[in-house]
DNA sequence: AAACAAGACAACCGCGTACGA
DNA sequence: CTCGTACGCGGTTGTCTTGTT
């Protein structure tokens, strides 16, 4: 029908995103909302394909993303869910709203696979506690199950709420809509997304590229190039990116129209915004912010999937997934 | 201090599916 | 109903960092 393909390979930039690109993308989404990705490169002038823009947004810039170490609770959930759902990372991610499917997938491939492989290799000796080895807090299967059980009621309620038409769930507002097929509510979300990137950039400028790599490998080399450059062509001068980053901070502040440079917020391991605060602490299963676990957990328990066997031994891993 | 290996993670690619014309 | 497009997902790759020799 004469429509151009999504990614015409000519002139499409690949590789890590630069902060400039991030800013452009975030400010565009702030204005127009996510979706219609095909229009994004055209309207923003980004030399990226729509896919890349979407991916960048969902995996990195989207508000409410928690980065950094996975908690013991998250780890167990992933193992649990992977055993149930297989490598359906998006489905798994819907139970861990602060994590992206890509993140979970990477974590699985780099950490959990190995861990489980080790456990399977040494089965019998330490299988019960194997997953919690390496000094982390060990939670027995009983504790874990009880914890999940206590989640179920909350989750049920949340799910009912979410599925009630015309009655949007407060719990789900602003979340990745993986299990509830809807677009996130725009206004507050975009603001927090700019917080995401603004904080990212702040930490990046204050700590220098090296430290902030922990938060963003995206910015790997580009800062060096950018530091003296006219970041925002409208009013940029090289000294805007002074060593404290204050000039740039102000620029971003004015760009985004909020004070996003509170140093207390620079810890990326923490949720970024009020709407994500609901999901702050996985270690608090009854905090009320847990996304619905109920269906799958209920199924799990109802089906007697455990059947009195050791939980960790029960988690069977496809050979394909492990090797 | 340099070289190499392994680990970690962001991004890309290709396929399947939903949706609209 | 068919076709084409956009989007989302999962697998894979590429690149950078960190650890080891």
């Amino acid at each position: 029908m004469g429509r151009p393909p999504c990614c015409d390979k000519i002139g499409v930039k690949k590789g890590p995103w630069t902060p400039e690109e991030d800013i452009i993308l975030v400010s565009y989404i702030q204005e127009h909302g996510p979706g219609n990705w095909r229009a994004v490169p055209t309207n923003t002038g980004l030399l990226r394909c729509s896919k890349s823009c979407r991916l960048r947004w969902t995996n990195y810039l989207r508000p409410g993303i928690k980065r950094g170490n996975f908690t013991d609770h998250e780890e167990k959930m992933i193992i649990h869910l992977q055993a149930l759902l297989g490598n359906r990372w998006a489905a798994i991610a819907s139970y861990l709203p602060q994590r992206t499917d890509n993140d979970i997938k990477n974590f699985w491939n780099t950490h959990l696979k190995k861990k489980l492989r080790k456990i399977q290799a040494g089965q019998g000796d330490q299988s019960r506690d194997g997953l919690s080895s390496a000094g982390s807090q060990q939670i027995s299967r009983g504790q874990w199950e009880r914890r999940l059980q206590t989640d179920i009621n909350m989750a049920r309620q949340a799910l009912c709420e979410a599925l009630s038409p015309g009655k949007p769930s407060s719990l789900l507002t602003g979340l990745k809509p993986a299990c509830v097929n809807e677009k996130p509510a725009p206004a507050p979300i975009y603001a927090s997304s700019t917080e995401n990137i603004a904080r990212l950039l702040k930490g990046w400028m204050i700590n220098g590229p090296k430290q902030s790599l922990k938060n963003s490998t995206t910015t790997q080399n580009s800062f060096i190039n950018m530091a003296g450059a006219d970041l925002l062509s409208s009013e940029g001068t090289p000294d805007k990116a002074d060593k404290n980053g204050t000039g740039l901070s102000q620029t971003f502040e004015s760009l985004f129209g909020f004070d996003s440079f509170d140093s207390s917020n620079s810890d990326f391991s923490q949720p970024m915004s009020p709407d994500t605060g609901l999901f702050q602490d996985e270690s608090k299963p009854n905090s009320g912010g847990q996304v619905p676990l109920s269906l799958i957990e209920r199924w799990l328990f109802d089906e007697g999937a455990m059947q009195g066997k050791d939980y960790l031994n029960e988690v069977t891993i496809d050979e394909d997934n492990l090797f």
Side-chain angles (χ1 to χ4, degrees), chain A residues 225-240:
Chain A
N225 299 329
M226 188 186 87
D230 183 359
L231 174 67
L232 297 171
S233 55
S234 59
E235 57 174 332
T237 55
D239 61 345
K240 276 200 176 299

Side-chain angles (χ1 to χ4, degrees), chain A residues 199-255:
Chain A
R199 286 198 193 93
L200 181 142
L201 287 161
K202 183 200 178 189
W204 184 51
M205 287 180 290
I206 289 174
N207 300 328
K210 190 150 193 177
Q211 282 190 357
S212 58
L213 284 181
K214 289 174 182 168
N215 298 327
S216 169
T217 58
T218 300
T219 54
Q220 284 153 3
N221 300 316
S222 51
F223 177 69
I224 297 164
N225 299 329
M226 188 186 87
D230 183 359
L231 174 67
L232 297 171
S233 55
S234 59
E235 57 174 332
T237 55
D239 61 345
K240 276 200 176 299
D242 59 46
K243 65 183 166 191
N244 292 326
T246 50
L248 202 51
S249 298
Q250 284 162 5
T251 307
F252 287 123
E253 273 181 89
S254 66
L255 174 65

Side-chain angles (χ1 to χ4, degrees), chain A residues 85-308:
Chain A
L85 302 170
N87 293 357
R88 294 169 59 197
W89 306 115
I92 292 170
S94 69
Y95 290 90
L96 293 160
Q98 291 179 306
R99 302 292 187 177
T100 68
D101 54 352
N102 207 34
D103 227 12
I104 292 169
K105 183 171 60 180
N106 282 333
F107 184 62
W108 174 264
N109 287 330
T110 57
H111 293 89
L112 296 179
K113 252 192 198 177
K114 276 179 231 161
K115 232 172 183 178
L116 290 169
R117 206 181 300 175
K118 215 184 280 181
I119 289 163
Q120 287 195 335
Q123 217 166 20
D125 298 342
Q126 329 159 340
S127 58
R128 183 173 297 271
D129 295 325
L131 287 174
S132 303
S133 61
S136 60
Q137 186 187 0
Q138 297 180 355
I139 301 173
S140 70
R141 177 200 162 202
Q143 285 176 299
W144 168 237
E145 285 185 359
R146 273 194 297 277
R147 210 153 86 171
L148 285 173
Q149 284 280 13
T150 58
D151 285 343
I152 289 173
N153 288 336
M154 297 294 296
R156 244 181 227 148
Q157 193 183 340
L159 187 64
C160 289
E161 213 183 317
L163 295 175
S164 302
K167 199 176 153 190
S169 167
S170 57
L171 293 176
L172 294 170
T173 305
L175 288 178
K176 177 184 179 181
C179 54
V180 180
N181 206 5
E182 63 182 19
K183 303 278 182 192
I189 295 173
Y190 308 142
S192 59
S193 80
T194 55
E195 286 181 44
N196 268 6
I197 188 168
R199 286 198 193 93
L200 181 142
L201 287 161
K202 183 200 178 189
W204 184 51
M205 287 180 290
I206 289 174
N207 300 328
K210 190 150 193 177
Q211 282 190 357
S212 58
L213 284 181
K214 289 174 182 168
N215 298 327
S216 169
T217 58
T218 300
T219 54
Q220 284 153 3
N221 300 316
S222 51
F223 177 69
I224 297 164
N225 299 329
M226 188 186 87
D230 183 359
L231 174 67
L232 297 171
S233 55
S234 59
E235 57 174 332
T237 55
D239 61 345
K240 276 200 176 299
D242 59 46
K243 65 183 166 191
N244 292 326
T246 50
L248 202 51
S249 298
Q250 284 162 5
T251 307
F252 287 123
E253 273 181 89
S254 66
L255 174 65
F256 296 131
F258 60 85
D259 179 15
S260 58
F261 293 97
D262 178 357
S263 61
S264 64
N265 290 331
S266 59
D267 181 0
F268 283 18
S269 68
Q270 297 303 313
M272 314 274 182
S273 60
D275 53 1
T276 62
L278 286 168
F279 301 94
Q280 280 188 1
D281 192 354
E282 289 86 353
S283 69
K284 285 187 267 178
N286 295 321
S287 63
Q290 195 72 38
V291 147
L293 285 165
S294 59
L295 292 181
I296 196 152
E297 295 300 345
R298 187 177 165 191
W299 171 62
L300 176 73
F301 289 119
D302 285 354
E303 291 295 314
M306 294 308 170
Q307 294 185 344

